[in-house]
Amino acid sequence: MDSQTLSYLQELMLIASRSDDSRNSIEKFIVALRKKFVFDNVAVYLQDKTTQNLEIVYARAVGRSKTAEADAAWGEDFAGQVVKKGQLLLRDPKPDVSPDDRLHQAYLLGLPIREGTLVRGAMVFVRFGGPVYEDQHIAVASLAGEMLSMLFERAAWAELQQELEDLKRQMQLQEDFVSTISHELRTPLGFIKGYSTSLLRPDTNWDEATQKEFLTIIDEETDRLSLLIENVLESARLQSKTLPLRFQPLRLDGVLRDVTMRIRARHKDLDVNTQLESVPAISGDGVRLAQVFENLFTNALKYAPGSSIDILLNQVGDKIVISFIDHGPGIQKESLPLIFERFYRVRGEKTITGTGLGLYICKQIIQAHRGKIWAESTPGHGTTFLIELPINSSR
Ligand code: ADP
């Protein structure tokens, strides 16, 4: 082997070992490969993990057939055979094709792409009108097939590792949730049990004011308990997509005004400023969307106590944007993308009661309206929750 070939192989190797399975990486590899290995079209197929069907992940027309479609239908059949046999295959054009019909004079070379010992797909090259693949070319192409396998294998490992990480985090969240929820259930139950036992004591006569005070506590704690149970059930229904939404024409300024009025009635000292542009009606579930806004209010009251709240409603292009701004302690950058996950609570959030379900429920409701919700925050200066809803969100 001459030094030129060696440095060529080294170049291929370097690209394959540094890349991932993105289109861009495969592209780089194929471009480098073509310096010594001539072909007109190439296509890479991988088996879909669930359906087992071959899916095209990369196709390119580079050579004489550049004007011909780089669609991958030409190689699909052949790729299927390579996968089935699990080995390098060559196919010459059918003898009955006229020598002038170059585009049908397809010389195919197919190489299996493996993950460990399993064949996961195939890379197929075509030369229109030849020349036939010589042994030397086949050796280079085989090596390229191995390198590409390596590239995909590494990407699959990285994906698996990510899945494991996600699973681990989800399990940790579930564990935290069980301990939170048992605490959350026990606290109101303890109050209810304690105060009703006191009221029923045969040796004590409570005056009317004390009776009322105890009953009020029982009443409030029962509400807290049912809200908690409702939240847990609702998040389960939302996750299994069995929560029905009633879509109808809806004016969001009206919904926001109603919710704000209700909150102001309950929290007389709360400073809420609204700037609600008149926006077109959307198709939405008013009860569910009101629930989202109430949740944001409840969170602001819990996590940004004493802060004023600004609510903006604007139309931006064909979307409606709602900004819900508090000036509380804010949220650390690393927690921002996680707060919408089921059961997630910011670590150290032990003194404030909660289940980590509120924002998850909000996100599910907004997504059911084909919208987006996210948070932005400058720690120490406050948090802004943003909701984007398409004006034409009819289903
Ligand atoms: P919960 O309030 O039950 O913990 P949520 O899903 O409503 O659950 O909120 C998730 C987490 O996001 C909270 O634990 C809290 O730490 C954080 N958070 C939510 N809203 C705010 C806010 N306005 N300011 C600061 N932190 C917030």
Side-chain angles (χ1 to χ4, degrees), residues 180 184 228 231 295-305 324-332 335-336 338-349 352-362 375 377 382-385:
T180 315
E184 293 287 310
L228 178 70
N231 268 350
N295 222 319
L296 296 182
F297 266 117
T298 315
N299 277 353
L301 287 161
K302 283 201 298 189
Y303 301 109
F324 197 100
I325 307 160
D326 72 49
H327 308 280
I331 301 172
Q332 294 299 326
S335 295
L336 273 181
L338 303 172
I339 54 174
F340 295 95
E341 285 193 7
R342 205 171 178 223
F343 309 141
Y344 182 85
R345 304 202 72 217
V346 172
R347 290 226 170 273
E349 211 65 272
I352 303 170
T353 59
T355 53
L357 289 175
L359 289 176
Y360 169 79
I361 293 177
C362 291
S377 176
T383 311
T384 299
F385 284 90

Short mmCIF file of all heavy atoms in Angstrom, two decimals, residues 180 184 228 231 295-305 324-332 335-336 338-349 352-362 375 377 382-385, ligand 1:
data_model
loop_
_atom_site.label_atom_id
_atom_site.label_comp_id
_atom_site.label_asym_id
_atom_site.label_seq_id
_atom_site.Cartn_x
_atom_site.Cartn_y
_atom_site.Cartn_z
N THR A 180 -43.01 13.03 48.34
CA THR A 180 -43.75 14.31 48.44
C THR A 180 -45.23 14.04 48.64
O THR A 180 -45.86 14.63 49.50
CB THR A 180 -43.61 15.14 47.14
OG1 THR A 180 -42.29 15.10 46.74
CG2 THR A 180 -44.11 16.54 47.30
N GLU A 184 -47.72 15.21 51.41
CA GLU A 184 -48.82 16.11 51.06
C GLU A 184 -50.18 15.54 51.46
O GLU A 184 -51.10 16.27 51.77
CB GLU A 184 -48.82 16.38 49.56
CG GLU A 184 -47.64 17.16 49.08
CD GLU A 184 -47.72 18.62 49.48
OE1 GLU A 184 -48.77 19.22 49.24
OE2 GLU A 184 -46.75 19.14 50.03
N LEU A 228 -55.42 18.21 45.51
CA LEU A 228 -54.23 17.39 45.29
C LEU A 228 -54.58 16.11 44.53
O LEU A 228 -53.92 15.76 43.54
CB LEU A 228 -53.63 17.04 46.65
CG LEU A 228 -52.41 16.14 46.62
CD1 LEU A 228 -51.23 16.90 46.04
CD2 LEU A 228 -52.06 15.65 48.01
N ASN A 231 -55.38 16.89 40.99
CA ASN A 231 -54.16 17.14 40.20
C ASN A 231 -53.46 15.86 39.79
O ASN A 231 -53.01 15.72 38.66
CB ASN A 231 -53.17 17.96 41.03
CG ASN A 231 -53.36 19.43 40.80
OD1 ASN A 231 -54.10 19.82 39.90
ND2 ASN A 231 -52.74 20.25 41.60
N ASN A 295 -52.89 28.55 37.63
CA ASN A 295 -51.70 27.85 38.11
C ASN A 295 -50.49 28.78 38.16
O ASN A 295 -49.70 28.75 39.10
CB ASN A 295 -51.41 26.69 37.15
CG ASN A 295 -51.03 25.47 37.91
OD1 ASN A 295 -50.30 25.56 38.88
ND2 ASN A 295 -51.53 24.34 37.48
N LEU A 296 -50.36 29.62 37.11
CA LEU A 296 -49.22 30.54 37.09
C LEU A 296 -49.34 31.56 38.23
O LEU A 296 -48.36 31.94 38.86
CB LEU A 296 -49.13 31.24 35.73
CG LEU A 296 -48.83 30.32 34.54
CD1 LEU A 296 -48.72 31.12 33.26
CD2 LEU A 296 -47.54 29.53 34.76
N PHE A 297 -50.60 31.98 38.49
CA PHE A 297 -50.83 32.89 39.62
C PHE A 297 -50.45 32.21 40.94
O PHE A 297 -49.75 32.79 41.76
CB PHE A 297 -52.31 33.28 39.69
CG PHE A 297 -52.63 34.56 38.97
CD1 PHE A 297 -53.47 34.57 37.87
CD2 PHE A 297 -52.10 35.76 39.42
CE1 PHE A 297 -53.77 35.75 37.21
CE2 PHE A 297 -52.41 36.95 38.77
CZ PHE A 297 -53.24 36.93 37.65
N THR A 298 -50.92 30.97 41.12
CA THR A 298 -50.65 30.25 42.37
C THR A 298 -49.14 30.12 42.57
O THR A 298 -48.64 30.32 43.67
CB THR A 298 -51.27 28.83 42.32
OG1 THR A 298 -52.57 28.96 41.80
CG2 THR A 298 -51.32 28.20 43.68
N ASN A 299 -48.43 29.78 41.49
CA ASN A 299 -46.98 29.65 41.60
C ASN A 299 -46.33 30.99 41.96
O ASN A 299 -45.44 31.03 42.80
CB ASN A 299 -46.39 29.14 40.28
CG ASN A 299 -46.48 27.64 40.19
OD1 ASN A 299 -46.86 26.97 41.15
ND2 ASN A 299 -46.15 27.09 39.04
N ALA A 300 -46.78 32.06 41.31
CA ALA A 300 -46.19 33.38 41.60
C ALA A 300 -46.44 33.72 43.08
O ALA A 300 -45.54 34.23 43.76
CB ALA A 300 -46.79 34.43 40.69
N LEU A 301 -47.63 33.39 43.58
CA LEU A 301 -47.93 33.67 44.99
C LEU A 301 -47.05 32.84 45.92
O LEU A 301 -46.61 33.31 46.96
CB LEU A 301 -49.41 33.37 45.29
CG LEU A 301 -50.40 34.39 44.72
CD1 LEU A 301 -51.80 33.80 44.65
CD2 LEU A 301 -50.40 35.65 45.59
N LYS A 302 -46.77 31.59 45.49
CA LYS A 302 -45.98 30.70 46.34
C LYS A 302 -44.49 31.02 46.27
O LYS A 302 -43.81 31.08 47.27
CB LYS A 302 -46.15 29.23 45.87
CG LYS A 302 -47.45 28.59 46.29
CD LYS A 302 -47.37 27.07 46.28
CE LYS A 302 -47.09 26.47 44.92
NZ LYS A 302 -47.22 25.01 44.90
N TYR A 303 -43.99 31.20 45.02
CA TYR A 303 -42.54 31.28 44.83
C TYR A 303 -42.01 32.71 44.69
O TYR A 303 -40.81 32.92 44.69
CB TYR A 303 -42.11 30.44 43.63
CG TYR A 303 -42.51 28.99 43.78
CD1 TYR A 303 -43.53 28.44 43.02
CD2 TYR A 303 -41.88 28.20 44.73
CE1 TYR A 303 -43.91 27.11 43.18
CE2 TYR A 303 -42.25 26.87 44.91
CZ TYR A 303 -43.27 26.33 44.13
OH TYR A 303 -43.65 25.03 44.31
N ALA A 304 -42.93 33.67 44.49
CA ALA A 304 -42.49 35.06 44.40
C ALA A 304 -43.39 35.91 45.29
O ALA A 304 -44.02 36.85 44.82
CB ALA A 304 -42.55 35.54 42.94
N PRO A 305 -43.48 35.55 46.58
CA PRO A 305 -44.43 36.24 47.45
C PRO A 305 -44.10 37.72 47.56
O PRO A 305 -42.93 38.09 47.61
CB PRO A 305 -44.25 35.52 48.81
CG PRO A 305 -42.91 34.88 48.75
CD PRO A 305 -42.65 34.56 47.32
N PHE A 324 -46.35 36.27 31.37
CA PHE A 324 -46.78 36.28 32.76
C PHE A 324 -45.52 36.52 33.61
O PHE A 324 -44.66 35.65 33.73
CB PHE A 324 -47.40 34.92 33.08
CG PHE A 324 -48.24 34.93 34.30
CD1 PHE A 324 -49.62 35.01 34.23
CD2 PHE A 324 -47.64 34.85 35.55
CE1 PHE A 324 -50.39 35.02 35.38
CE2 PHE A 324 -48.41 34.87 36.70
CZ PHE A 324 -49.79 34.95 36.62
N ILE A 325 -45.39 37.75 34.11
CA ILE A 325 -44.10 38.17 34.67
C ILE A 325 -44.19 38.40 36.19
O ILE A 325 -45.07 39.12 36.65
CB ILE A 325 -43.65 39.50 34.00
CG1 ILE A 325 -43.68 39.33 32.47
CG2 ILE A 325 -42.28 39.94 34.49
CD1 ILE A 325 -43.72 40.64 31.71
N ASP A 326 -43.27 37.76 36.93
CA ASP A 326 -43.16 38.13 38.35
C ASP A 326 -41.76 38.67 38.62
O ASP A 326 -40.87 38.54 37.78
CB ASP A 326 -43.51 36.94 39.27
CG ASP A 326 -42.45 35.86 39.28
OD1 ASP A 326 -41.26 36.18 39.44
OD2 ASP A 326 -42.82 34.66 39.14
N HIS A 327 -41.59 39.30 39.77
CA HIS A 327 -40.28 39.90 40.09
C HIS A 327 -39.74 39.26 41.36
O HIS A 327 -39.20 39.94 42.23
CB HIS A 327 -40.43 41.42 40.23
CG HIS A 327 -41.12 42.02 39.03
ND1 HIS A 327 -40.46 42.29 37.87
CD2 HIS A 327 -42.43 42.32 38.81
CE1 HIS A 327 -41.33 42.75 36.97
NE2 HIS A 327 -42.53 42.77 37.52
N GLY A 328 -39.92 37.95 41.45
CA GLY A 328 -39.47 37.21 42.63
C GLY A 328 -38.03 36.74 42.50
O GLY A 328 -37.26 37.33 41.74
N PRO A 329 -37.67 35.69 43.22
CA PRO A 329 -36.27 35.24 43.23
C PRO A 329 -35.80 34.60 41.92
O PRO A 329 -34.61 34.43 41.71
CB PRO A 329 -36.24 34.21 44.36
CG PRO A 329 -37.65 33.76 44.51
CD PRO A 329 -38.51 34.92 44.15
N GLY A 330 -36.75 34.23 41.05
CA GLY A 330 -36.36 33.64 39.77
C GLY A 330 -36.00 32.17 39.88
O GLY A 330 -36.12 31.55 40.95
N ILE A 331 -35.55 31.61 38.77
CA ILE A 331 -35.24 30.18 38.70
C ILE A 331 -33.85 30.03 38.09
O ILE A 331 -33.53 30.69 37.10
CB ILE A 331 -36.28 29.45 37.81
CG1 ILE A 331 -37.68 29.65 38.40
CG2 ILE A 331 -35.96 27.96 37.68
CD1 ILE A 331 -38.80 29.14 37.52
N GLN A 332 -33.03 29.17 38.67
CA GLN A 332 -31.68 28.94 38.14
C GLN A 332 -31.77 28.38 36.72
O GLN A 332 -32.68 27.61 36.41
CB GLN A 332 -30.93 27.94 39.02
CG GLN A 332 -30.62 28.44 40.42
CD GLN A 332 -29.74 29.69 40.44
OE1 GLN A 332 -28.87 29.85 39.57
NE2 GLN A 332 -29.99 30.57 41.39
N SER A 335 -32.43 24.69 36.00
CA SER A 335 -33.75 24.13 36.33
C SER A 335 -34.81 24.52 35.30
O SER A 335 -35.85 23.86 35.21
CB SER A 335 -34.21 24.63 37.70
OG SER A 335 -33.36 24.15 38.69
N LEU A 336 -34.53 25.60 34.56
CA LEU A 336 -35.57 26.15 33.66
C LEU A 336 -36.22 25.13 32.73
O LEU A 336 -37.44 25.06 32.67
CB LEU A 336 -35.00 27.30 32.83
CG LEU A 336 -35.07 28.68 33.48
CD1 LEU A 336 -34.50 29.71 32.53
CD2 LEU A 336 -36.48 29.05 33.88
N LEU A 338 -36.49 22.04 33.11
CA LEU A 338 -37.00 20.86 33.83
C LEU A 338 -38.31 21.11 34.57
O LEU A 338 -39.03 20.17 34.89
CB LEU A 338 -35.95 20.38 34.84
CG LEU A 338 -34.59 20.03 34.25
CD1 LEU A 338 -33.59 19.75 35.35
CD2 LEU A 338 -34.71 18.81 33.34
N ILE A 339 -38.61 22.39 34.84
CA ILE A 339 -39.77 22.67 35.71
C ILE A 339 -41.10 22.21 35.11
O ILE A 339 -42.07 22.06 35.83
CB ILE A 339 -39.86 24.17 36.10
CG1 ILE A 339 -39.84 25.04 34.86
CG2 ILE A 339 -38.74 24.55 37.05
CD1 ILE A 339 -40.06 26.52 35.16
N PHE A 340 -41.12 21.94 33.79
CA PHE A 340 -42.37 21.50 33.17
C PHE A 340 -42.50 19.98 33.18
O PHE A 340 -43.47 19.44 32.68
CB PHE A 340 -42.46 22.01 31.73
CG PHE A 340 -42.54 23.52 31.65
CD1 PHE A 340 -41.41 24.27 31.46
CD2 PHE A 340 -43.76 24.15 31.81
CE1 PHE A 340 -41.48 25.66 31.43
CE2 PHE A 340 -43.84 25.53 31.77
CZ PHE A 340 -42.70 26.29 31.59
N GLU A 341 -41.50 19.31 33.74
CA GLU A 341 -41.57 17.84 33.77
C GLU A 341 -42.45 17.38 34.92
O GLU A 341 -42.53 18.04 35.95
CB GLU A 341 -40.17 17.26 33.94
CG GLU A 341 -39.39 17.36 32.67
CD GLU A 341 -38.13 16.51 32.71
OE1 GLU A 341 -37.94 15.75 33.68
OE2 GLU A 341 -37.36 16.63 31.76
N ARG A 342 -43.06 16.23 34.67
CA ARG A 342 -43.94 15.65 35.68
C ARG A 342 -43.14 15.37 36.96
O ARG A 342 -42.07 14.77 36.89
CB ARG A 342 -44.46 14.33 35.11
CG ARG A 342 -45.74 13.89 35.68
CD ARG A 342 -46.22 12.72 34.86
NE ARG A 342 -47.45 12.23 35.43
CZ ARG A 342 -47.72 10.96 35.60
NH1 ARG A 342 -46.88 10.05 35.22
NH2 ARG A 342 -48.86 10.61 36.11
N PHE A 343 -43.65 15.84 38.08
CA PHE A 343 -43.08 15.63 39.42
C PHE A 343 -41.86 16.49 39.73
O PHE A 343 -41.33 16.42 40.81
CB PHE A 343 -42.67 14.17 39.68
CG PHE A 343 -43.74 13.17 39.38
CD1 PHE A 343 -43.42 11.95 38.79
CD2 PHE A 343 -45.06 13.43 39.68
CE1 PHE A 343 -44.39 11.02 38.51
CE2 PHE A 343 -46.04 12.50 39.40
CZ PHE A 343 -45.71 11.31 38.81
N TYR A 344 -41.36 17.24 38.75
CA TYR A 344 -40.14 17.99 39.03
C TYR A 344 -40.40 19.15 39.97
O TYR A 344 -41.29 19.96 39.77
CB TYR A 344 -39.49 18.51 37.75
CG TYR A 344 -38.19 19.23 38.03
CD1 TYR A 344 -37.00 18.53 38.14
CD2 TYR A 344 -38.18 20.60 38.23
CE1 TYR A 344 -35.81 19.19 38.44
CE2 TYR A 344 -37.00 21.27 38.53
CZ TYR A 344 -35.82 20.56 38.63
OH TYR A 344 -34.66 21.21 38.93
N ARG A 345 -39.59 19.24 41.02
CA ARG A 345 -39.60 20.40 41.89
C ARG A 345 -38.15 20.85 42.05
O ARG A 345 -37.25 20.02 42.09
CB ARG A 345 -40.16 20.05 43.28
CG ARG A 345 -41.56 19.45 43.23
CD ARG A 345 -42.26 19.62 44.55
NE ARG A 345 -42.64 21.00 44.77
CZ ARG A 345 -42.60 21.60 45.96
NH1 ARG A 345 -42.19 20.94 47.01
NH2 ARG A 345 -42.95 22.86 46.11
N VAL A 346 -37.95 22.16 42.13
CA VAL A 346 -36.58 22.63 42.27
C VAL A 346 -36.04 22.10 43.59
O VAL A 346 -36.74 22.12 44.60
CB VAL A 346 -36.54 24.18 42.23
CG1 VAL A 346 -35.16 24.68 42.58
CG2 VAL A 346 -36.96 24.67 40.85
N ARG A 347 -34.82 21.58 43.55
CA ARG A 347 -34.23 20.98 44.76
C ARG A 347 -34.19 22.03 45.88
O ARG A 347 -33.93 23.19 45.64
CB ARG A 347 -32.82 20.50 44.48
CG ARG A 347 -32.80 19.31 43.61
CD ARG A 347 -31.85 18.23 44.12
NE ARG A 347 -32.07 17.01 43.36
CZ ARG A 347 -32.99 16.11 43.69
NH1 ARG A 347 -33.74 16.26 44.76
NH2 ARG A 347 -33.18 15.05 42.94
N GLY A 348 -34.46 21.59 47.07
CA GLY A 348 -34.42 22.49 48.21
C GLY A 348 -35.77 23.16 48.43
O GLY A 348 -35.95 23.92 49.38
N GLU A 349 -36.72 22.87 47.54
CA GLU A 349 -38.06 23.46 47.66
C GLU A 349 -38.86 22.63 48.67
O GLU A 349 -39.81 21.96 48.33
CB GLU A 349 -38.74 23.43 46.29
CG GLU A 349 -39.71 24.55 46.02
CD GLU A 349 -39.06 25.92 45.97
OE1 GLU A 349 -38.95 26.52 47.04
OE2 GLU A 349 -38.70 26.37 44.87
N ILE A 352 -42.03 25.01 50.80
CA ILE A 352 -43.25 25.39 50.09
C ILE A 352 -43.93 24.12 49.59
O ILE A 352 -43.27 23.29 48.96
CB ILE A 352 -42.91 26.33 48.91
CG1 ILE A 352 -42.16 27.54 49.44
CG2 ILE A 352 -44.17 26.74 48.17
CD1 ILE A 352 -41.56 28.43 48.39
N THR A 353 -45.22 23.98 49.89
CA THR A 353 -45.87 22.73 49.49
C THR A 353 -46.13 22.71 47.99
O THR A 353 -46.33 23.74 47.36
CB THR A 353 -47.21 22.55 50.22
OG1 THR A 353 -48.01 23.65 49.89
CG2 THR A 353 -47.03 22.40 51.71
N GLY A 354 -46.11 21.53 47.45
CA GLY A 354 -46.33 21.37 46.01
C GLY A 354 -46.03 19.94 45.62
O GLY A 354 -45.47 19.18 46.40
N THR A 355 -46.42 19.59 44.40
CA THR A 355 -46.24 18.21 43.96
C THR A 355 -45.39 18.11 42.70
O THR A 355 -45.03 17.02 42.27
CB THR A 355 -47.60 17.58 43.62
OG1 THR A 355 -48.25 18.46 42.70
CG2 THR A 355 -48.44 17.38 44.84
N GLY A 356 -45.10 19.26 42.08
CA GLY A 356 -44.36 19.22 40.82
C GLY A 356 -45.26 18.85 39.65
O GLY A 356 -44.77 18.44 38.60
N LEU A 357 -46.57 19.01 39.84
CA LEU A 357 -47.49 18.63 38.76
C LEU A 357 -48.06 19.85 38.04
O LEU A 357 -48.47 19.77 36.89
CB LEU A 357 -48.65 17.81 39.32
CG LEU A 357 -48.32 16.40 39.77
CD1 LEU A 357 -49.51 15.75 40.42
CD2 LEU A 357 -47.85 15.58 38.58
N GLY A 358 -48.08 20.99 38.74
CA GLY A 358 -48.75 22.18 38.20
C GLY A 358 -48.30 22.55 36.80
O GLY A 358 -49.11 22.65 35.87
N LEU A 359 -46.99 22.75 36.63
CA LEU A 359 -46.51 23.21 35.33
C LEU A 359 -46.57 22.10 34.28
O LEU A 359 -46.73 22.37 33.10
CB LEU A 359 -45.07 23.74 35.44
CG LEU A 359 -44.96 25.07 36.18
CD1 LEU A 359 -43.50 25.48 36.33
CD2 LEU A 359 -45.72 26.17 35.43
N TYR A 360 -46.47 20.86 34.73
CA TYR A 360 -46.63 19.73 33.80
C TYR A 360 -48.04 19.77 33.20
O TYR A 360 -48.22 19.65 31.98
CB TYR A 360 -46.39 18.41 34.54
CG TYR A 360 -46.77 17.19 33.73
CD1 TYR A 360 -45.93 16.71 32.74
CD2 TYR A 360 -48.00 16.55 33.95
CE1 TYR A 360 -46.29 15.61 31.99
CE2 TYR A 360 -48.37 15.45 33.19
CZ TYR A 360 -47.51 14.98 32.22
OH TYR A 360 -47.87 13.90 31.47
N ILE A 361 -49.02 19.97 34.08
CA ILE A 361 -50.42 20.04 33.61
C ILE A 361 -50.58 21.22 32.64
O ILE A 361 -51.19 21.09 31.58
CB ILE A 361 -51.38 20.14 34.82
CG1 ILE A 361 -51.34 18.82 35.61
CG2 ILE A 361 -52.80 20.49 34.39
CD1 ILE A 361 -52.18 18.80 36.87
N CYS A 362 -49.97 22.37 33.01
CA CYS A 362 -50.06 23.55 32.12
C CYS A 362 -49.52 23.21 30.73
O CYS A 362 -50.12 23.53 29.71
CB CYS A 362 -49.23 24.70 32.68
SG CYS A 362 -49.90 25.39 34.17
N ALA A 375 -40.28 29.10 30.13
CA ALA A 375 -39.99 30.12 31.14
C ALA A 375 -38.62 30.72 30.87
O ALA A 375 -37.72 30.05 30.39
CB ALA A 375 -40.02 29.50 32.53
N SER A 377 -35.79 33.41 32.92
CA SER A 377 -35.61 33.97 34.24
C SER A 377 -34.21 34.53 34.44
O SER A 377 -33.23 34.02 33.90
CB SER A 377 -35.85 32.89 35.29
OG SER A 377 -35.59 33.39 36.58
N GLY A 382 -36.56 37.75 38.86
CA GLY A 382 -37.91 37.29 38.55
C GLY A 382 -37.99 36.30 37.41
O GLY A 382 -36.97 35.93 36.81
N THR A 383 -39.21 35.88 37.16
CA THR A 383 -39.45 34.84 36.16
C THR A 383 -40.53 35.32 35.21
O THR A 383 -41.49 35.96 35.63
CB THR A 383 -39.95 33.55 36.85
OG1 THR A 383 -39.09 33.25 37.93
CG2 THR A 383 -39.98 32.37 35.89
N THR A 384 -40.35 35.00 33.93
CA THR A 384 -41.41 35.27 32.95
C THR A 384 -41.84 33.95 32.33
O THR A 384 -41.01 33.21 31.81
CB THR A 384 -40.90 36.20 31.83
OG1 THR A 384 -40.51 37.42 32.43
CG2 THR A 384 -41.97 36.46 30.79
N PHE A 385 -43.12 33.65 32.43
CA PHE A 385 -43.66 32.49 31.73
C PHE A 385 -44.26 32.98 30.43
O PHE A 385 -44.99 33.97 30.42
CB PHE A 385 -44.72 31.79 32.59
CG PHE A 385 -44.11 30.99 33.70
CD1 PHE A 385 -43.86 31.57 34.94
CD2 PHE A 385 -43.72 29.67 33.50
CE1 PHE A 385 -43.26 30.85 35.95
CE2 PHE A 385 -43.12 28.93 34.51
CZ PHE A 385 -42.89 29.53 35.74
P1 ADP B 1 -45.10 22.70 42.44
O1 ADP B 1 -45.46 24.14 42.60
O2 ADP B 1 -46.17 21.77 42.87
O3 ADP B 1 -43.76 22.38 43.01
P2 ADP B 1 -44.95 23.23 39.58
O4 ADP B 1 -44.90 22.24 38.47
O5 ADP B 1 -46.06 24.20 39.57
O6 ADP B 1 -44.93 22.37 40.90
O7 ADP B 1 -43.57 24.02 39.60
C1 ADP B 1 -42.34 23.35 39.49
C2 ADP B 1 -41.23 24.13 40.15
O8 ADP B 1 -40.97 25.33 39.43
C3 ADP B 1 -41.54 24.58 41.55
O9 ADP B 1 -41.16 23.58 42.48
C4 ADP B 1 -40.75 25.86 41.71
O10 ADP B 1 -39.49 25.57 42.24
C5 ADP B 1 -40.56 26.37 40.31
N1 ADP B 1 -41.39 27.57 40.04
C6 ADP B 1 -42.60 27.60 39.47
N2 ADP B 1 -43.08 28.86 39.33
C7 ADP B 1 -42.12 29.67 39.81
C8 ADP B 1 -41.98 31.11 39.95
N3 ADP B 1 -42.94 31.94 39.55
N4 ADP B 1 -40.82 31.58 40.52
C9 ADP B 1 -39.84 30.73 40.90
N5 ADP B 1 -39.90 29.38 40.81
C10 ADP B 1 -41.01 28.85 40.27
#
